[in-house]
């Protein structure tokens, strides 16, 4: 008896591709959660530095080491380079994540956004330490 295909049933791969094709990058729940977290962490680091670091002529401490003490000092505006780097990397990771998502590399896309969140969280810790050391 020859093999006959049932044309009424779709294969699992076709159903999966159709369900994934309906969701765009920014409509994906995981992408939305990671992007919102990333944006909130960037705003938190900017807000912390905006509240504690004022425009003044005094040199502020940018890095303190337990072993050597103060090892990096700078102007007030140099403290804002940390959140700006966070925003830059957030935009870069979002662009790369979008590119991976369009190539159907969903896991790589999620990992890029998660890496951006971890980087932004580290910069929040840097912002907190700069604020605590100086004030």
């Amino acid at each position: 008896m020859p093999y006959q295909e049932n044309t009424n049933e779709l294969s699992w791969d076709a159903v999966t591709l159709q369900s994934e094709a309906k969701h765009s990058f920014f409509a994906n729940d995981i992408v939305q959660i990671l992007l919102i977290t990333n944006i909130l962490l960037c705003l938190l680091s900017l807000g912390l530095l905006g509240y504690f670091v004022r425009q003044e002529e005094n040199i502020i401490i940018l890095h303190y080491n337990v072993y050597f003490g103060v090892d990096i000092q700078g102007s007030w505006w140099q403290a804002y380079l940390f959140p700006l780097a966070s925003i830059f990397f957030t935009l870069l990771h979002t662009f790369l994540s979008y590119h991976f998502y369009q190539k159907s590399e969903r896991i790589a896309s999620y990992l890029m956004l998660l890496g951006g969140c971890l980087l932004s969280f580290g910069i929040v810790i840097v912002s907190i330490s700069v604020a605590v050391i100086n004030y």
Side-chain angles (χ1 to χ4, degrees), residues 19-76:
S19 67
E20 287 180 356
K22 292 178 185 175
H23 298 290
S24 69
F25 177 72
F26 294 106
N28 189 327
D29 292 336
I30 297 172
V31 170
Q32 286 179 354
I33 290 169
L34 290 172
L35 279 176
I36 289 171
T37 303
N38 227 340
I39 291 168
L40 289 177
L41 288 172
C42 289
L43 291 176
L44 178 65
S45 65
L46 268 174
L48 280 169
L49 290 177
Y51 184 76
F52 287 106
V53 176
R54 300 285 180 218
Q55 181 178 357
E56 55 188 39
E57 297 203 19
N58 296 336
I59 293 176
I60 65 170
I61 299 168
L62 296 175
H63 187 262
Y64 177 83
N65 192 340
V66 174
Y67 298 111
F68 304 115
V70 175
D71 56 351
I72 299 177
Q73 297 176 343
S75 299
W76 64 271

Side-chain angles (χ1 to χ4, degrees), residues 72-111:
I72 299 177
Q73 297 176 343
S75 299
W76 64 271
W77 61 267
Q78 290 175 330
Y80 289 99
L81 292 177
F82 300 122
L84 290 178
S86 176
I87 292 169
F88 171 74
F89 283 116
T90 297
L91 293 174
L92 179 67
H93 284 184
T94 303
F95 173 75
L96 290 173
S97 178
Y98 180 78
H99 177 72
F100 288 142
Y101 196 89
Q102 296 304 316
K103 299 269 185 197
S104 296
E105 295 290 336
R106 308 287 192 246
I107 300 298
S109 175
Y110 301 151
L111 288 176

Side-chain angles (χ1 to χ4, degrees), residues 107-122:
I107 300 298
S109 175
Y110 301 151
L111 288 176
M112 284 297 292
L113 289 174
L114 181 64
C117 284
L118 293 175
L119 183 68
S120 294
F121 182 71

